[in-house]
Amino acid sequence: MIDFSPMREGELTYLDYAGRENIGPVELKQFSDESVDFLLSLLDGLSDADIVFDPEDPAADDPFAVEGEEEIGWNFGHLIAHVTASSEEGAALSSLLARGVPASERPRYETPWRDIKTVAQVRQRLQESRRMRNAYLETWPDAPLLDVCRVASERFTAKFGEMNAPAAFLFGLSHEVGHYEQIKEVKRQALAARAATA
């Protein structure tokens, strides 16, 4: 998997990284599939009860959450709903940009996290997300328009740089990878709580 730290720390933009590494749809599919496979591997040993286990998270702070849920810890299902939505958003943007559409809206939809209650539902959501991301990559033309960038706020562009098709896909995937440690910690807490009551 890519080391996204240079992009997250502002040492390199996603666009510059994609250009330097000559990243196209084949590479993006590989990176995305690797991420989905990793998230699927985290299901090993989990029960349905672990998916909805409420973890402790002293750093929880989501100003966009519904009232009363701004500081709750996100369970496993919640995290999977969140990260897959971001990766799909990046993939959808990449499809538009590669075809010359300077997208200004956010094509984002997040599966309601409360609907994800079982291991089977998490697995289905991840496999569905894989299919959707790969399908967006299939919409790229043979000669993608890599000079077309997303229309974003000055603040966003100053922080992350211009976003062309591969950069937009990588940005969504970077967000997913950035939650790996949180997801692993939720799994650890769920298994520890189950062991304590055995």
Side-chain angles (χ1 to χ4, degrees):
M1 179 53 67
I2 298 172
D3 176 9
F4 286 106
S5 55
M7 286 78 88
R8 292 199 189 109
E9 294 165 10
E11 299 170 7
L12 189 65
T13 67
Y14 289 87
L15 188 149
D16 287 342
Y17 177 83
R20 186 186 75 185
E21 302 297 325
N22 197 28
I23 292 175
V26 172
E27 292 78 18
L28 293 171
K29 179 182 184 303
Q30 176 188 336
F31 300 147
S32 180
D33 283 347
E34 287 176 359
S35 187
V36 171
D37 289 341
F38 174 74
L39 293 171
L40 285 167
S41 77
L42 293 181
L43 290 172
D44 292 348
L46 291 182
S47 69
D48 291 346
D50 299 325
I51 299 302
V52 296
F53 169 80
D54 291 324
E56 293 183 11
D57 184 358
D61 179 21
D62 181 7
F64 302 106
V66 299
E67 188 175 349
E69 295 184 356
E70 297 90 349
E71 297 180 357
I72 64 170
W74 289 9
N75 66 31
F76 200 100
H78 192 161
L79 284 163
I80 294 302
H82 180 71
V83 300
T84 53
S86 293
S87 285
E88 289 156 21
E89 178 183 7
L93 283 168
S94 82
S95 169
L96 292 168
L97 295 169
R99 292 178 289 120
V101 181
S104 57
E105 299 296 321
R106 293 186 63 186
R108 180 185 179 85
Y109 172 76
E110 186 167 321
T111 301
W113 64 271
R114 292 188 186 280
D115 292 347
I116 302 178
K117 303 174 183 178
T118 68
V119 170
Q121 287 175 316
V122 171
R123 186 171 286 112
Q124 181 275 331
R125 172 83 279 266
L126 286 167
Q127 294 291 19
E128 177 180 65
S129 187
R130 183 202 306 271
R131 174 178 57 77
M132 292 168 70
R133 300 179 209 186
N134 291 345
Y136 279 121
L137 291 172
E138 288 292 328
T139 68
W140 280 38
D142 293 341
L145 301 174
L146 300 181
D147 58 340
V148 176
C149 291
R150 173 183 175 186
V151 177
S153 69
E154 289 183 12
R155 180 181 174 190
F156 179 92
T157 303
K159 185 171 183 179
F160 301 110
E162 296 282 353
M163 292 277 170
N164 67 357
F169 195 105
L170 288 171
F171 184 71
L173 190 60
S174 171
H175 177 265
E176 181 167 281
V177 172
H179 278 283
Y180 279 3
E181 292 306 313
Q182 184 181 5
I183 298 170
K184 289 191 288 186
E185 171 59 15
V186 170
K187 176 177 179 176
R188 185 199 67 76
Q189 287 189 34
L191 293 178
R194 177 148 51 102
T197 60

